[in-house]
């Protein structure tokens, strides 16, 4: 915005301190955006009916009334802002703000002023309080002199506030001259009729569209979901939630991986409350293939004026698409769909567990979302670092088929996503590194190799990546062999059906694939026989021997290096000289980033060296295997 004024920490609607945002005034009107992002409230200067200033506790309030009767209150301006803004508004918008006085006498008698959708109680010429008639749920006459109003409870407001206005009663004596009645219609009835007409109580209960029997996972139950013009209502057998659209931050439309269901998540701030539990996300589950047709209960005039280009008169299509389109139209919230991430099954999420609950982890363009329970949204901007961890602490070969992902937030909170299948490692790693997120134990090539080795080889005795990282940083030396644990053409894709056991932790290091295969066959036979009989005393030594870790043959040829490793060896000293003082981890990270930015032509000399080294390794291995063919496959299981 080229000109205008901007103010921070301005509250909308006076919700205590729970709804601060950024207020902008410019030559075209006003705009307010909630702090941390979300829906923008915009008021064009052509729609402004009147403006008012009022001194409220510890600040000033700017009241903006628009021509269709709506009234916005922006609270938090300083005294010096009043004169500056008044001059700017008069000059550029052409409206002169009026000054209103707030009554602090405590008197509870006065007059009632109804303007648009706002009811104001006046004590003399000063305002005592005002309420929105759009929030009136019930009106009735009690006796002949009392008008009783019952208000809708905004469940999102109640989540962060101790007190909410539930009902209000006005005593209108028969001598009242403001609302003149007669013998059949006392003044209280005249006031009630006017409130009922302006509040439009009857039609306010009619929803624009209704979806019956919808399965909601959080808060759990089946609800009738009603979309009204200003709020969303969930009606269940035991609970009833009313949610103002101003609390809807964003909508998420997320298909479930390889399942006939789709999540639609309504993210709220502030959240709704059920008992002592807060729900910042409403997780709705639709059957993906269900087709519905809905006609909206809106007049053509209203569609053409207020909801032009936002809503149609009727919709037909998949239920989750229809629901999302209508909710987006009436609420103005944006919709987030799956991004570029794809799992090994070409889904949008990976199976995972959080706090002992199984679910799906969706890597999105601006964050991660775990669903359905507990629904956990983590924005990339909130993340300090992520860390790939070996699943479990050993003891079962099953653990090597999975890995865990730790997400550490800047506020020191941690989320551990467990039981992710190891064949999802490459997709997740590429996605996370592509987003520029800090990967704690993958900052250098050697640490990457350590974790990749664990995920690729189903070996519970495999090297602990964290321990290796500490050793490497302490020693300051680099091992080309460890860097080459992962070779693309040898990767099995992380198939969870691979057989594995504690004995083969070094098989991949020696590169002896035939020996590894033979050892696995030997283990299978040993397991089959041991399951049928208990070992005798004489077999104890041999069973202990089988459990011994196999030593790496020092005569085995050194494995082939990748193009990246040749590049690293050539450029490592240059990196250290150009940026003195870098740690071992930071040097590795810098090399990785530089390699990633290189073109195929720039990488070609190093790739040619890698191809030549691969040929050397293949020929050396052929000679090594022919010389070792007579050696028993168990001869390496000697005690350390």
């Amino acid at each position: 915005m080229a000109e205008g004024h901007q103010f921070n920490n301005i509250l909308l609607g006076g919700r205590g301190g729970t709804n601060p945002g950024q207020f902008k005034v410019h030559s075209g009107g006003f705009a307010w955006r909630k702090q941390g992002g979300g829906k923008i409230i915009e008021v064009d200067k052509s729609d402004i009916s009147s403006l008012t200033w009022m001194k409220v506790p510890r600040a000033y309030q700017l009241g903006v009334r628009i021509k269709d009767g709506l009234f916005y209150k922006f609270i938090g301006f300083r005294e010096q802002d009043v004169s500056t803004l008044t001059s700017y508004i008069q000059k550029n918008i052409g409206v002169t703000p009026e000054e209103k006085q707030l009554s602090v006498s405590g008197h509870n008698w006065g007059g009632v002023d109804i303007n648009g959708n706002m009811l104001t109680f006046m004590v003399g010429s000063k305002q005592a309080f005002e309420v929105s008639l759009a929030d009136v749920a019930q009106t009735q006459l009690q006796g002949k002199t009392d008008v009783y109003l019952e208000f809708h409870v905004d469940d999102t407001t109640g989540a962060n506030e101790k007190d909410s206005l539930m009902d209000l009663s006005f005593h209108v004596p028969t001598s009242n001259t403001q609302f003149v009645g007669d013998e059949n219609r006392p003044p209280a009835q005249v006031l009630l009729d006017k409130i009922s007409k302006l509040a439009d109580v009857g039609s306010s209960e009619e929803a624009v569209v209704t979806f019956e029997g919808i399965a909601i996972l959080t808060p759990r139950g089946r609800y009738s979901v009603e979309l009204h013009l200003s709020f969303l209502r969930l009606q269940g057998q035991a609970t009833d939630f009313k949610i103002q659209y101003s609390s809807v931050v964003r909508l998420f439309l997320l298909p479930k991986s390889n399942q006939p269901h789709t999540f639609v998540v309504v993210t709220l701030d502030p959240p709704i409350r059920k008992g002592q539990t807060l729900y910042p996300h409403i997780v709705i589950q639709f059957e993906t293939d269900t087709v519905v047709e809905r006609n909206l209960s809106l007049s053509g005039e209203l569609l053409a004026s207020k909801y032009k280009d936002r809503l149609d008169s009727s919709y037909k299509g998949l239920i989750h698409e229809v629901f999302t389109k209508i909710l987006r139209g009436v609420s103005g919230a944006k919709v987030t769909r799956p991004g570029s991430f794809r799992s090994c099954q070409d889904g949008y999420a990976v199976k995972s567990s959080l706090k002992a609950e199984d679910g799906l982890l969706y890597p999105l363009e601006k964050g991660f979302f775990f669903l359905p329970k507990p629904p956990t949204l983590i924005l990339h901007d909130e993340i300090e670092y992520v860390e790939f961890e070996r699943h479990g602490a050993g003891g079962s070969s099953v653990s090597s088929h999975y890995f865990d992902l730790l997400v550490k937030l800047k506020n020191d909170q941690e989320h551990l996503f467990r039981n992710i299948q190891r064949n999802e490692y490459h997709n997740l790693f590429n996605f996370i590194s592509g987003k520029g997120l800090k990967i704690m134990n993958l900052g250098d090539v050697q640490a990457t190799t350590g974790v990749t080795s664990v995920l690729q080889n189903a070996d519970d005795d495999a090297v602990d990546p964290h321990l290796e990282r500490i050793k490497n940083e302490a020693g300051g030396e680099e091992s080309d062999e460890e860097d080459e644990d992962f070779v693309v053409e040898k990767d099995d894709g992380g198939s969870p059906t691979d057989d594995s056991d504690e004995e083969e932790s070094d098989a991949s290091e020696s590169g002896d694939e035939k020996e590894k295969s033979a050892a696995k066959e030997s283990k299978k036979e040993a397991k089959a026989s041991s399951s049928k009989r208990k070992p005798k005393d004489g077999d104890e030594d041999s069973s202990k021997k089988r459990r011994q870790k196999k030593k790496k043959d020092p005569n085995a040829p050194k494995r082939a290096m990748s193009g990246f490793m040749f590049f690293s060896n050539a450029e490592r000293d240059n990196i250290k000289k150009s940026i003195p003082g870098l740690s071992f981890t930071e040097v590795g990270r810098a090399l990785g980033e530089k390699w990633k930015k290189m073109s195929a032509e720039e990488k070609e000399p190093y790739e040619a060296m890698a191809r030549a080294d691969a040929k050397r390794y293949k020929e050396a291995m052929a000679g090594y295997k022919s010389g070792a063919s007579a050696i028993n496959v168990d001869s390496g299981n000697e005690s350390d």
Side-chain angles (χ1 to χ4, degrees):
M1 186 159 33
E3 58 176 331
H5 297 273
Q6 178 175 306
F7 303 89
N8 294 319
N9 299 318
I10 303 300
L11 309 180
L12 172 65
R15 291 188 175 185
T18 63
N19 210 11
Q22 186 181 74
F23 181 83
K24 294 182 180 180
V25 55
H26 54 95
S27 58
F30 304 108
W32 180 88
R33 182 170 185 172
K34 187 174 181 178
Q35 182 176 309
K39 186 172 60 175
I40 299 176
I41 302 296
E42 292 184 298
V43 180
D44 190 87
K45 69 176 184 179
S46 61
D47 295 329
I48 297 175
S49 174
S50 63
L51 299 173
T52 55
W53 282 113
M54 180 183 291
K55 180 69 175 71
V56 295
R58 297 183 296 278
Y60 280 84
Q61 170 189 296
L62 176 63
V64 181
R65 187 179 302 280
I66 60 178
K67 293 178 180 179
D68 63 0
L70 292 178
F71 185 71
Y72 295 104
K73 293 184 288 184
F74 301 99
I75 306 170
F77 296 98
R78 301 168 300 174
E79 184 175 1
Q80 56 265 38
D81 297 331
V82 176
S83 58
T84 303
L85 270 179
T86 299
S87 300
Y88 183 86
I89 291 172
Q90 288 175 332
K91 180 180 178 181
N92 294 278
I93 297 181
V95 180
T96 300
E98 301 176 2
E99 184 176 352
K100 294 176 65 175
Q101 298 293 326
L102 183 65
S103 174
V104 293
S105 64
H107 295 169
N108 64 344
W109 65 89
V112 172
D113 180 27
I114 298 178
N115 189 350
N117 68 334
M118 301 300 294
L119 182 150
T120 306
F121 187 78
M122 306 293 294
V123 177
S125 60
K126 298 181 179 181
Q127 174 184 309
F129 65 85
E130 61 182 358
V131 294
S132 173
L133 294 179
D135 291 332
V136 176
Q138 299 285 341
T139 60
Q140 60 180 338
L141 188 66
Q142 295 182 336
K144 293 185 178 181
T145 58
D146 291 347
V147 176
Y148 175 78
L149 306 181
E150 182 179 337
F151 293 86
H152 290 301
V153 176
D154 181 358
D155 292 285
T156 56
T157 302
N160 287 332
E161 291 187 358
K162 295 181 180 179
D163 302 313
S164 296
L165 179 62
M166 301 294 294
D167 53 56
L168 187 64
S169 181
F170 293 103
H171 175 74
V172 187
T174 55
S175 59
N176 182 277
T177 57
Q178 183 180 3
F179 303 100
V180 181
D182 52 36
E183 295 181 357
N184 297 325
R185 296 176 71 246
Q189 182 67 54
V190 176
L191 174 61
L192 177 66
D193 292 343
K194 187 170 185 180
I195 291 175
S196 300
K197 180 180 178 180
L198 294 175
D200 205 13
V201 176
S203 62
S204 67
E205 292 298 314
E206 181 181 355
V208 174
V209 67
T210 302
F211 295 83
E212 301 284 353
I214 301 301
I216 297 183
L217 306 183
T218 305
R220 193 168 186 85
R222 284 201 171 268
Y223 293 81
S224 172
V225 182
E226 298 179 357
L227 303 183
H228 294 253
L229 288 180
S230 60
F231 63 89
L232 165 70
R233 170 169 287 172
L234 308 178
Q235 288 186 318
Q237 291 184 347
T239 53
D240 185 358
F241 295 101
K242 180 192 174 186
I243 302 161
Q244 296 288 346
Y245 290 139
S246 59
S247 300
V248 178
V249 178
R250 185 169 288 271
L251 308 175
F252 292 85
L253 182 59
L254 303 172
K256 296 179 71 173
S257 300
N258 302 318
Q259 296 186 39
H261 296 96
T262 297
F263 291 129
V264 174
V265 185
V266 183
T267 299
L268 307 172
D269 188 12
I272 57 174
R273 179 176 61 189
K274 182 179 180 182
Q276 298 301 315
T277 306
L278 299 179
Y279 295 95
H281 307 285
I282 301 173
V283 183
I284 308 173
Q285 180 174 271
F286 292 102
E287 293 185 2
T288 303
D289 296 332
T290 301
V291 177
V292 297
E293 186 173 1
R294 291 290 189 274
N295 296 319
L296 304 190
S297 299
L298 288 177
S299 64
E301 180 182 353
L302 191 59
L303 278 172
S305 57
K306 186 175 181 179
Y307 296 101
K308 184 180 180 181
D309 300 328
R310 290 172 55 184
L311 289 174
D312 298 326
S313 59
S314 63
Y315 291 85
K316 182 177 181 180
L318 298 174
I319 185 170
H320 56 273
E321 291 284 355
V322 171
F323 177 85
T324 305
K325 288 178 181 178
I326 299 176
L327 181 54
R328 179 185 61 186
V330 294
S331 69
K334 295 182 179 180
V335 180
T336 295
R337 297 173 182 265
S340 59
F341 176 82
R342 295 295 181 272
S343 68
C344 286
Q345 289 77 32
D346 199 33
Y348 302 109
V350 296
K351 293 182 179 180
S352 178
S353 300
L354 179 64
K355 297 180 180 178
E357 295 285 349
D358 294 334
L360 296 172
L361 178 62
Y362 289 85
L364 305 174
E365 294 304 309
K366 295 186 178 180
F368 295 92
F369 211 156
F370 180 85
L371 295 169
K373 180 183 178 181
T376 305
L377 177 62
I378 305 172
L379 299 180
H380 290 165
D381 294 340
E382 301 172 340
I383 297 176
E384 179 72 23
Y385 64 83
V386 301
E387 185 172 359
F388 289 89
E389 297 184 349
R390 180 184 178 190
H391 175 69
S396 172
S397 61
V398 177
S399 65
S400 56
H401 291 306
Y402 302 89
F403 67 94
D404 302 339
L405 180 66
L406 175 69
V407 179
K408 176 71 174 292
L409 305 186
K410 295 176 181 178
N411 61 4
D412 291 333
Q413 186 180 1
E414 294 183 352
H415 297 282
L416 180 62
F417 301 100
R418 304 174 62 250
N419 304 328
I420 304 175
Q421 290 188 352
R422 64 177 185 171
N423 57 356
E424 301 290 0
Y425 166 73
H426 300 292
N427 295 331
L428 269 177
F429 172 74
N430 292 335
F431 178 84
I432 292 173
S433 60
K435 293 300 177 184
L437 298 176
K438 181 181 179 182
I439 305 177
M440 190 64 180
N441 59 333
L442 299 182
D444 57 289
V445 180
Q446 294 196 342
T448 305
T449 303
V451 175
T452 306
S453 176
V454 172
L455 300 180
Q456 282 189 298
N457 302 301
D459 308 317
D460 284 341
D461 287 338
V463 178
D464 188 323
H466 306 288
L467 181 59
E468 281 301 299
R469 178 167 171 261
I470 294 172
K471 288 180 179 179
N472 288 336
E473 291 183 356
E477 296 180 358
E478 299 159 344
S479 167
D480 293 341
E481 292 191 35
E482 287 299 323
D483 284 336
E484 282 304 299
D485 268 357
F486 171 56
V487 182
V488 175
E489 51 268 22
K490 292 181 182 178
D491 181 32
D492 62 358
S495 172
T497 60
D498 289 349
D499 295 309
S500 59
D501 202 39
E502 293 86 355
E503 305 170 28
E504 293 299 313
S505 61
D506 284 330
S508 63
E509 294 180 9
S510 67
D512 191 347
E513 300 296 334
K514 291 184 179 180
E515 182 179 350
K516 181 177 178 179
S517 177
K520 287 187 177 182
E521 293 298 328
S522 175
K523 288 200 300 285
K524 289 181 181 178
E525 294 175 4
K527 287 181 180 178
S529 62
S530 63
S531 64
K532 295 179 181 179
R533 63 178 180 85
K534 294 183 179 180
K536 298 179 181 179
D537 294 340
D539 293 337
E540 290 182 0
D541 293 339
S542 61
S543 63
K544 289 181 180 179
K545 186 177 181 180
R546 282 195 300 271
R547 287 194 296 267
Q548 294 285 345
K549 180 177 175 181
K550 184 178 178 181
K551 286 185 177 181
K552 178 179 176 181
D553 188 350
N555 297 320
K558 183 178 179 180
R559 284 181 293 171
M561 292 170 55
S562 68
F564 174 72
M565 279 309 306
F566 282 108
F567 164 77
S568 298
N569 291 340
E571 290 293 323
R572 186 172 285 108
D573 290 340
N574 294 335
I575 292 289
K576 291 179 179 179
K577 291 178 182 178
S578 61
I579 313 178
L582 286 182
S583 67
F584 176 77
T585 299
E586 292 169 335
V587 170
R589 184 180 297 115
L591 287 169
E593 291 176 355
K594 188 172 182 180
W595 175 260
K596 191 163 88 171
K597 295 177 180 178
M598 291 171 59
S599 64
E601 291 76 10
E602 292 172 326
K603 293 179 180 179
E604 177 55 30
Y606 304 105
E607 298 293 358
M609 297 167 67
R611 290 192 293 270
D613 198 34
K615 183 179 179 181
R616 185 271 313 164
Y617 175 70
K618 183 176 180 181
E619 294 173 352
M621 277 302 298
Y624 171 75
K625 289 180 180 180
S626 62
S629 59
I631 300 178
N632 188 291
V633 293
D634 288 329
S635 62
N637 289 335
E638 297 176 1
S639 172
D640 290 336

